[in-house]
Amino acid sequence: MALDDSTMTTAMLKAMANPLRREILTALNRYEYARAADLSKDLEIPANKLSFHLRVLADAGLIHEAPEYARDRRDRVWAATRGSQSIGSPTAPVADEALGLSVLQSLAEDHQQVLSRLVAWAPEYVAGRDAEVHGTFTRMSVRLTPAQFEEILKDFSDRVDQARETADKSDPDSRLWQIDIVAADDQI
């Protein structure tokens, strides 16, 4: 199931404002699909608490049931809904500005955690003690029009979607990569 590339609804923003729900989404992306019991064990959360948060995520359209992976009709399996969502833009302003800014701050904190993990690991790699790639910090600069920049982002998103669809999930070397793109022009 895929979301259209669009602005988050207020329900999506409320769901994303909760750090546990963002952890659940990360876990679902890691496993592709999962049962509540498996997520409960993995995240060390009581099943009843997890069920509440799964319902909120599902009601917001951020996850959906994946019955094709169920063992029987009573088995509930969940998967993250694919697609990119923005908090808002001039053509589609955020409905609740305070909530949108809160979610943006939370996502920035999540990004900072990824960056902190990368910085903690990097000395092992650059010193040759760990030869396996676990991340990258790459900086590129290029002069583009806003339309060209949006085209690059779309191309990148399309390439990630293609990689997701063709990935060999049974490969033991397969890992979940969190990719955060940070870009800013020279005018802000």
Side-chain angles (χ1 to χ4, degrees):
M1 183 173 197
L3 287 170
D4 292 331
D5 294 342
S6 60
T7 302
M8 287 185 179
T9 65
T10 299
M12 289 174 172
L13 290 169
K14 286 180 180 177
M16 291 294 292
N18 184 291
L20 176 55
R21 293 183 198 133
R22 293 192 310 277
E23 282 185 54
I24 293 167
L25 284 171
T26 298
L28 282 171
N29 282 313
R30 180 182 310 113
Y31 300 122
E32 184 181 357
Y33 61 88
R35 290 165 184 78
D38 298 328
L39 290 169
S40 175
K41 181 179 176 186
D42 184 56
L43 298 172
E44 298 178 356
I45 301 166
N48 61 342
K49 182 177 181 180
L50 182 72
S51 291
F52 168 78
H53 290 288
L54 287 169
R55 281 193 305 277
V56 171
L57 288 166
D59 289 346
L62 294 168
I63 67 172
H64 62 277
E65 285 194 60
E68 64 274 21
Y69 298 109
R71 293 179 282 225
D72 57 43
R73 291 187 315 192
R74 294 174 297 155
D75 192 24
R76 294 185 80 183
V77 180
W78 298 96
T81 303
R82 302 285 181 219
S84 67
Q85 297 285 299
S86 68
I87 291 177
S89 69
T91 57
V94 63
D96 182 332
E97 188 174 346
L99 179 58
L101 293 176
S102 174
V103 169
L104 181 60
Q105 180 64 39
S106 297
L107 295 174
E109 290 168 6
D110 293 349
H111 173 78
Q112 183 62 42
Q113 290 174 5
V114 171
L115 187 58
S116 294
R117 290 192 338 251
L118 176 63
V119 168
W121 161 80
E124 299 300 308
Y125 185 75
V126 299
R129 291 185 293 271
D130 186 349
E132 189 172 352
V133 175
H134 294 282
T136 186
F137 182 80
T138 305
R139 176 178 279 179
M140 296 174 259
S141 297
V142 60
R143 184 167 295 282
L144 302 167
T145 65
Q148 289 170 316
F149 177 72
E150 288 179 21
E151 183 180 345
I152 285 175
L153 287 179
K154 171 115 177 54
D155 290 346
F156 184 79
S157 180
D158 290 346
R159 180 64 182 104
V160 169
D161 287 343
Q162 178 187 20
R164 187 181 287 127
E165 291 169 11
T166 60
D168 180 1
K169 294 157 185 68
S170 64
D171 185 335
D173 289 335
S174 176
R175 296 173 273 184
L176 176 67
W177 291 82
Q178 181 170 334
I179 302 169
D180 289 352
I181 298 173
V182 176
D185 68 14
D186 60 354
Q187 296 182 10
I188 60 169

